[in-house]
Every structure is written in structure tokens, then in C-alpha cells.
Amino acid sequence: TGDRFVVGQGATQKTWTAPDISIDASGPGQGLVGDTLSYRIDVRNPGDFTAKEVTVTQTLAAGVTLVGSTPPPASGGGALRWSLGDLQGGQSRTIALQLRADRPGNVNNCASVTTAEKLSAQDCVATTIRAPSLRVGMTGQQQAEVGQPVAFQVQITNTGSSALTGLVIVDRYDAGLQHASQ
């Protein structure tokens, strides 16, 4: 009759699959000179195919020294490198990194990851390194008569960039002087 009618109906869906790579660096926002600072580098393949020959690199920032890492880097010195091998889809690996803070200032620790497929990512952690510092000054009489009280003033100043806690002040003086309270 020339009328049209539906004989069948269907749909096609195509899912694209590929490897992917991401990196997340975390660590302390601040520390003191001499502290060992712990950082964590998490590498993940959020794709559904294997990412081949995954390599993580980090150049040590000025002012920090490598104490150790798990796993240990394949190379040391100023440029650290870890070969993580292949990462299956959805798989992740973690690098635990310990750095010693050598001097005050701002440190930007950046880690990057690359794969054989030319995928790459980078993440950074900024840490402020502070240095405690204390200045003590004392003023008082240069001369005194025997048996007469002598007054001294002690000025303690925090000249560093971090709070100081647990200070103990001890006053030692020459024989022949004694505190008014005995």
C-alpha cells in the first residue's frame, strides 16, 4: 500500500579504551631546618589498558637532601628516577620519600611521570622551611660595691621564623655573686 512501517530497530555503542596516567604528590606544608620531611608520590593508571614502562622523576629542590625512599630510586644525586615497570588499568603504585631540610626558605618538590606511550603528568608540593633562632642580650652595672645589690636585665628575642617552645633559661654567675633569694 506504500505505507512505511518499522521492521526492526537497533543501537551501536563503541567504547574507546586506552591507558592513562596520573600522579599525586603530597607532603608537609612546613618544617624546620634539620627535620626529616616525609612525602608521598602516588602514581595511577585510571585507564583500562596497561601503561607501559612507567617512570617517575623528581629533581631535588635546593635546600633538601635525600634521606631515603621506598622503593629506592634507580638513580640518585640531584635527579631521582624510579622505574615502576608496567601499570595495569586501574592499578597504582606509591613512592614514600624522606628528605632532610637543610636551610630555611620555600621548597617546591615536583614529581613527574612518563610512559612508553608518551603519556605524562606532574604534581608539586610546596613546603616552607623555617629556622629557629634565638638572641640573648644582657645589660647591667659594670661596677658594684661589696654587699650592695646589682641589677641585670636579660632580653631574649626570637629572631627566627618559627615559634620557640620549651626554652629553659639558666643564669650562671661568678663566685662572689649570689642571687638575692640565696
Side-chain angles (χ1 to χ4, degrees), residues 18-89:
D20 199 0
I21 200 74
S22 69
I23 190 167
D24 180 41
S26 58
Q30 61 182 0
L32 295 174
V33 170
D35 282 355
T36 297
L37 308 170
S38 295
Y39 294 88
R40 181 179 163 129
I41 302 168
D42 293 307
V43 179
R44 184 171 182 274
N45 175 1
D48 49 7
F49 269 31
T50 301
K52 305 275 188 191
E53 300 174 27
V54 176
T55 302
V56 175
T57 57
Q58 177 169 338
T59 300
L60 287 179
V64 296
T65 303
L66 176 67
V67 173
S69 78
T70 305
S75 59
L80 306 176
R81 186 171 74 47
W82 295 269
S83 295
L84 302 181
D86 296 346
L87 236 63
Q88 302 296 320

Side-chain angles (χ1 to χ4, degrees), residues 110-133:
C110 294
S112 61
V113 61
T114 58
T115 70
E117 298 85 8
K118 306 282 187 229
L119 300 171
S120 65
Q122 178 177 320
D123 196 21
C124 299
V125 178
T127 304
T128 300
I129 309 299
R130 301 184 186 281
S133 181

